[in-house]
């Protein structure tokens, strides 16, 4: 799959180090090598959305949008506690349209 990144996602990754950064890199590599969404580990489509998915990476959640069949755009990388906040939910609904 082709992968794109939002500014927010890149900014969050730049703050990571050590094991967390390694885990995120592994997930991104897995997404790039996947032929379909079903091939990605710990990936679930969010209920109530058409093309928004979430990947569990330890205590963090990576949200991405399936733009075209073979292109994903990572939007957010946030801690589990922030993952389902009103702000993130509102922004994902706006992007899903």
């Amino acid at each position: 799959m082709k992968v794109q990144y939002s500014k927010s996602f890149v900014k969050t990754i730049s703050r990571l180090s050590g094991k967390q950064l390694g885990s995120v890199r592994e997930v991104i590599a897995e997404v790039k090598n996947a032929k379909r969404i079903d091939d990605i580990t710990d990936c679930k489509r969010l209920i109530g959305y058409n093309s928004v998915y979430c990947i569990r990476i330890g205590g963090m959640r990576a949200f991405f949008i399936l733009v075209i069949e073979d292109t994903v755009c990572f939007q957010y990388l946030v801690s589990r506690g922030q993952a389902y906040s009103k702000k993130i939910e509102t922004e994902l609904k706006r992007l899903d349209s």
Side-chain angles (χ1 to χ4, degrees), residues 72-89:
V72 298
C73 182
F74 281 98
Q75 294 296 321
Y76 295 104
L77 179 66
V78 293
S79 68
R80 194 184 114 228
Q82 293 176 320
Y84 303 102
S85 69
K86 207 61 160 165
K87 178 184 173 192
I88 299 290
E89 185 179 326

Side-chain angles (χ1 to χ4, degrees), residues 11 24 26-27 52-53 65 79 87:
K11 188 175 181 180
V24 171
E26 287 175 14
V27 168
V52 178
Y53 293 81
I65 296 176
S79 68
K87 178 184 173 192

Side-chain angles (χ1 to χ4, degrees), residues 2-4 9 14 16-17 20-22 24 26 32 34-35 43 47 49 52-53 58 64-65 71 74 78 81-82 94:
K2 297 174 190 161
V3 178
Q4 301 172 349
F9 190 82
S14 68
L16 296 178
S17 64
Q20 283 184 327
L21 182 59
V24 171
E26 287 175 14
K32 286 181 179 180
K35 302 225 183 289
C43 179
I47 296 172
Y49 296 89
V52 178
Y53 293 81
F64 68 88
I65 296 176
T71 305
F74 281 98
V78 293
Q82 293 176 320
R94 184 184 69 77

Side-chain angles (χ1 to χ4, degrees), residues 6 49-52 63-67 73-76 88-97:
S6 70
Y49 296 89
N50 295 323
S51 57
V52 178
F63 292 97
F64 68 88
I65 296 176
L66 184 64
V67 180
C73 182
F74 281 98
Q75 294 296 321
Y76 295 104
I88 299 290
E89 185 179 326
T90 303
E91 189 63 23
L92 288 174
K93 282 191 187 230
R94 184 184 69 77
L95 293 170
D96 191 37
S97 301

